[in-house]
Amino acid sequence: THLVSISRWLTSFWGAGIKASQALPETVKIVEVGPRDGLQNEKVVVPTEAKINLINMLSESGLTVIEATSFVSPKWVPQMGDQVEVMKGIKKKPGVSYPVLTPNLRGFQAAVKAGASEVAIFGAASELFSKKNINCSVEESLQRFDEVMKAAKEAAVPVRGYVSCVVGCPYEGKVAPEKVAHVAKRLYSMGCYEISLGDTIGVGTPGSMTEMLEAVSREVPVSALAVHCHDTYGQALANILVALQMGISVVDSSVAGLGGCPYAQGASGNVATEDVVYMLHGLGIKTGVDLLKLMDAGSFICRALNRKTNSKVAQAACKL
Amino acid sequence: MGSIPTTVKHCLSYEQLFEDYPWLRRWLQEEKIITEHEYPKFVKIVEVGPRDGLQNEKEIVPTGVKIQLIDMLSATGLSVVEATSFVSSKWVPQMADHTQVLQGIQRAPLTQYPVLTPNMQGFQDAVAAGATEVAVFGSASETFSRQNINCSIDESMLRFQEVINAAKERQIPVRGYVSCALGCPHEGRIEPSKVAEVAKRLYEMGCYEISLGDTIGVGTPGSMFKMLQMVKKDVPIDALAVHCHDTYGQALPNILTALQMGVSVVDSAVAGLGGCPYAPGSTGNVSTEDVLYMLHGMGIQTNVDLNKVIEAGDFICNALGRRTNSKVGQAKSGTL
């Protein structure tokens, strides 16, 4: 409205001078990554039935995006070996999207055959991370995805893009915001409808997050951006808060905080969806998620994994 | 409204702009939660591990260990370390060795060692043991006050007035705490106006600083903002501190919100010592290490050495036979 456009005019006038932010978003879309990103990073391999049950419970909690599985070779990621059965076995709720990871064209084809109607691809903001993780440079990885993008366009399948190491890399250390902006822009112009910016090792703070988001939002519209924060250093919720203050309204999280950090033994990884929802609701922001049903899904999967939840809200479950 | 084109001549100085057109700042802040992200350049950490932390740990820790913990914390650069509590050992057995602890620590020259003094008896014992700063605890919730210290808020204020008067005579500064600032385990929601009322009373009675405590950790940036907005009308912002509990994982975003509103004093406990008596098995105090990690990452100075705090945390966790509650501590111990 008028107020917002004037404040934007003023902000662009002085640049970093006043960061008089826009109002917080009224609604935030939660992208639930527990069944894929979460389980992928858990040591215990969970039976297909349990995965299906988890996803079904999550579907009932009001979430509108649930990352279901990954079409990678089971040789690399045994936890995702039952990708086809999971995809075919879940009860798809109308209005809910079930994206799957597709690292290459073969994965994409298998995904579509199994009934996938949304896919995701991954790029890194760090050259070293890209080399160590998928054995090629960032640019090469993006070229590989060109095939997937073409096929997805033909099949009218939307594609979400992930950028990892946006505020730090386990090998390179600090990552330049301009590099992140460059990779995000590439993915966006290749046709990804949304770009999820991942703090892969959780080292980000409100300081580095702000710097990075400023650089990226100059290249990609804020409405197409999401944040994927890890809580390895306890910074996730604070980072999400500053992202919201900068206009971001899509947040990735994992039920029960599933998924550890492969770079810090015993440390946590994904931020817990329950804790994010608690904060958002406390801010008066709508998510459509029923926190109690979400917590039920969390207790279920923790029992199946025989582990304690990483969600503080779930741990507390105080009468209030 | 002013005429915007004339602001062009001020384009190099937006602060001048806010002075010339006061409506501008108000106008920009009309939206729900607009914050000017101008953070304090320096934040004072009030380390409450040895008192608030240990008080809420089940294991009774030997005096020697308490003293060593405080000495290690003194060496990190912390300027305030809450050392112990002069309450009756009948109520709080962990603090029974208050005199030995206070007399046994090696005081760093620039560090303060406040102690809790719930009443005159405690105050006198504290002074006799060499205390040079004390603290009193009020509550924003009547029910909590009655359940916790067996009297109403008004009655507790009278008790504190005695202590504050005696402290004034000896030129001993007094810090005031307000518990249940964002919610009460018995009453549920707490009105920000009530918090402001209690904070104002403590401040006017003579407390130099008021620490606002989210006792059960239920607060979120939403409720923190509303509460601080109210309280800062009655107490100057630089006399306010926040004491956030991480029971629902909200402590860091709550602290961030407080910083955005001008608060520059933060209470925390090394290794996140101290659970929540109202949610068994849950965490309580936010970890000093995690707070420092955030502040340093934002370029805010604290003069505290994070690595030395991690060491102190490792030490006390070993002594308690438990894992650290600090995520930074957990990550550092596992990093390849």
Side-chain angles (χ1 to χ4, degrees):
Chain A
T1 64
H2 192 57
L3 184 72
V4 171
S5 62
I6 294 286
S7 72
R8 267 202 210 119
W9 178 86
L10 286 164
T11 313
S12 64
F13 211 60
W14 294 303
I18 339 165
K19 286 178 226 155
S21 66
Q22 303 151 310
L24 292 179
E26 279 181 15
T27 37
V28 161
K29 177 175 82 174
I30 304 258
V31 173
E32 171 59 49
V33 302
R36 201 282 309 168
D37 191 3
L39 289 182
Q40 184 167 317
N41 286 295
E42 290 284 335
K43 289 188 215 89
V44 174
V45 177
V46 158
T48 308
E49 271 316 300
K51 290 191 180 99
I52 289 173
N53 199 19
L54 171 65
I55 295 171
N56 290 343
M57 287 181 87
L58 291 169
S59 298
E60 288 309 309
S61 70
L63 289 160
T64 55
V65 185
I66 301 168
E67 205 180 51
T69 187
S70 177
F71 282 80
V72 287
S73 159
K75 195 176 51 173
W76 295 118
V77 187
Q79 179 81 273
M80 300 287 127
D82 52 5
Q83 56 211 204
V84 176
E85 295 96 306
V86 168
M87 209 56 211
K88 289 194 174 155
I90 56 177
K91 210 164 101 180
K92 295 194 187 180
K93 192 160 196 225
V96 180
S97 184
Y98 301 89
V100 299
L101 243 67
T102 51
N104 48 39
L105 188 59
R106 193 204 289 161
F108 176 80
Q109 286 158 346
V112 170
K113 190 155 163 234
S117 43
E118 183 177 327
V119 301
I121 61 175
F122 258 83
S126 150
E127 285 295 346
L128 261 176
F129 188 82
S130 190
K131 286 226 164 61
K132 294 242 174 182
N133 232 34
I134 51 177
N135 230 349
C136 62
S137 74
V138 172
E139 190 51 46
E140 284 166 352
S141 75
L142 293 177
Q143 280 162 10
R144 274 186 208 175
F145 287 130
D146 263 332
E147 301 186 292
V148 176
M149 295 307 301
K150 270 202 198 77
K153 246 181 225 150
E154 275 169 36
V157 168
V159 183
R160 188 182 208 231
Y162 282 88
V163 184
S164 47
C165 295
V166 297
V167 278
C169 168
Y171 313 107
E172 281 185 12
K174 188 163 152 61
V175 174
E178 294 70 39
K179 181 76 178 180
V180 183
H182 172 79
V183 178
K185 186 177 185 178
R186 281 280 276 127
L187 287 166
Y188 188 65
S189 36
M190 275 162 67
C192 293
Y193 77 93
E194 192 169 88
I195 312 297
S196 172
L197 304 165
D199 180 9
T200 307
I201 45 171
V203 290
T205 63
S208 52
M209 275 305 274
T210 306
E211 207 188 6
M212 181 275 298
L213 287 173
E214 271 175 352
V216 178
S217 57
R218 282 196 274 266
E219 305 291 339
V220 179
V222 136
S223 54
L225 293 177
V227 288
H228 184 114
C229 298
H230 276 199
D231 205 35
T232 317
Y233 289 79
Q235 308 295 306
L237 287 186
N239 291 342
I240 290 169
L241 184 60
V242 294
L244 296 174
Q245 290 175 339
M246 293 184 74
I248 303 235
S249 61
V250 183
V251 176
D252 298 3
S253 59
S254 173
V255 62
L258 291 181
C261 179
Y263 304 96
Q265 294 279 356
S268 59
N270 288 305
V271 66
T273 306
E274 297 92 318
D275 300 358
V276 174
V277 169
Y278 186 91
M279 180 173 81
L280 295 176
H281 290 182
L283 280 164
I285 294 174
K286 296 194 187 66
T287 63
V289 177
D290 180 333
L291 184 51
L292 291 174
K293 290 195 175 146
L294 179 63
M295 281 166 59
D296 283 342
S299 335
F300 165 74
I301 192 62
C302 287
R303 278 197 304 275
L305 285 164
N306 196 19
R307 59 160 286 182
K308 246 188 126 192
T309 180
N310 264 341
S311 155
K312 291 238 166 149
V313 169
Q315 279 170 28
C318 208
K319 274 164 231 145
L320 273 190
Chain B
M1 294 209 323
S3 60
I4 293 182
T6 63
T7 69
V8 172
K9 65 180 191 282
H10 291 288
C11 69
L12 292 175
S13 165
Y14 64 86
E15 265 139 5
Q16 183 61 46
L17 203 66
F18 280 160
E19 268 178 52
D20 291 355
Y21 303 97
W23 57 265
L24 190 60
R25 176 171 259 143
R26 263 181 282 121
W27 199 38
L28 288 171
Q29 286 175 342
E30 257 169 52
E31 299 286 284
K32 255 200 287 195
I33 301 185
I34 283 223
T35 46
E36 281 175 8
H37 299 249
E38 286 198 357
Y39 296 103
K41 295 202 172 31
F42 178 86
V43 162
K44 177 176 84 172
I45 303 274
V46 173
E47 170 59 48
V48 301
R51 202 282 309 167
D52 191 2
L54 289 182
Q55 184 167 315
N56 286 294
E57 290 284 334
K58 290 189 217 87
E59 283 279 317
I60 301 281
V61 157
T63 308
V65 169
K66 289 191 181 96
I67 290 173
Q68 191 172 343
L69 171 65
I70 295 170
D71 288 345
M72 287 180 86
L73 290 168
S74 300
T76 63
L78 283 161
S79 59
V80 186
V81 179
E82 203 180 53
T84 186
S85 179
F86 283 79
V87 287
S88 156
S89 48
K90 195 175 52 174
W91 296 117
V92 187
Q94 179 82 278
M95 299 287 127
D97 53 5
H98 37 65
T99 303
Q100 297 94 303
V101 168
L102 199 52
Q103 292 181 334
I105 55 176
Q106 264 179 5
R107 297 186 186 218
L110 297 172
T111 304
Q112 276 296 334
Y113 300 90
V115 298
L116 244 66
T117 51
N119 48 39
M120 273 312 285
Q121 180 67 60
F123 178 77
Q124 283 154 356
D125 293 343
V127 171
T132 47
E133 183 176 323
V134 300
V136 295
F137 252 83
S139 169
S141 153
E142 275 297 346
T143 316
F144 189 83
S145 188
R146 285 178 204 276
Q147 298 267 5
N148 227 38
I149 51 176
N150 238 342
C151 63
S152 72
I153 296 178
D154 282 342
E155 286 163 351
S156 72
M157 292 293 140
L158 292 173
R159 271 188 216 171
F160 300 147
Q161 186 71 79
E162 272 196 278
V163 172
I164 293 173
N165 291 344
K168 253 187 219 151
E169 275 170 39
R170 295 170 179 279
Q171 291 174 330
I172 290 179
V174 183
R175 189 183 207 233
Y177 282 87
V178 181
S179 54
C180 296
L182 296 176
C184 167
H186 315 291
E187 286 183 20
R189 195 183 135 68
I190 295 289
E191 286 300 323
S193 52
K194 186 71 183 177
V195 183
E197 189 194 306
V198 177
K200 183 180 183 180
R201 278 181 82 172
L202 286 168
Y203 186 67
E204 287 175 348
M205 276 169 25
C207 293
Y208 77 93
E209 192 170 88
I210 312 297
S211 172
L212 306 164
D214 182 9
T215 306
I216 45 172
V218 290
T220 63
S223 53
M224 174 62 86
F225 178 82
K226 288 192 186 114
M227 184 274 291
L228 283 176
Q229 235 189 352
M230 199 60 99
V231 177
K232 68 185 212 179
K233 286 188 189 149
D234 292 328
V235 180
I237 197 82
D238 45 19
L240 291 177
V242 288
H243 183 114
C244 297
H245 277 199
D246 206 36
T247 317
Y248 289 78
Q250 308 296 306
L252 286 188
N254 290 344
I255 290 169
L256 184 66
T257 302
L259 295 175
Q260 288 177 348
M261 295 181 76
V263 171
S264 61
V265 183
V266 174
D267 298 2
S268 59
V270 61
L273 291 180
C276 177
Y278 303 95
S282 294
T283 55
N285 288 305
V286 66
S287 311
T288 304
E289 298 91 316
D290 299 358
V291 173
L292 286 173
Y293 188 91
M294 181 174 81
L295 296 175
H296 293 176
M298 293 165 67
I300 295 174
Q301 289 193 352
T302 62
N303 288 348
V304 181
D305 184 331
L306 173 54
N307 287 324
K308 291 194 173 145
V309 177
I310 294 175
E311 278 172 28
D314 286 342
F315 164 74
I316 191 63
C317 286
N318 264 331
L320 285 165
R322 58 161 287 183
R323 229 189 143 197
T324 180
N325 265 339
S326 156
K327 291 244 165 146
V328 171
Q330 286 167 21
K332 293 277 183 185
S333 66
T335 312
L336 303 162

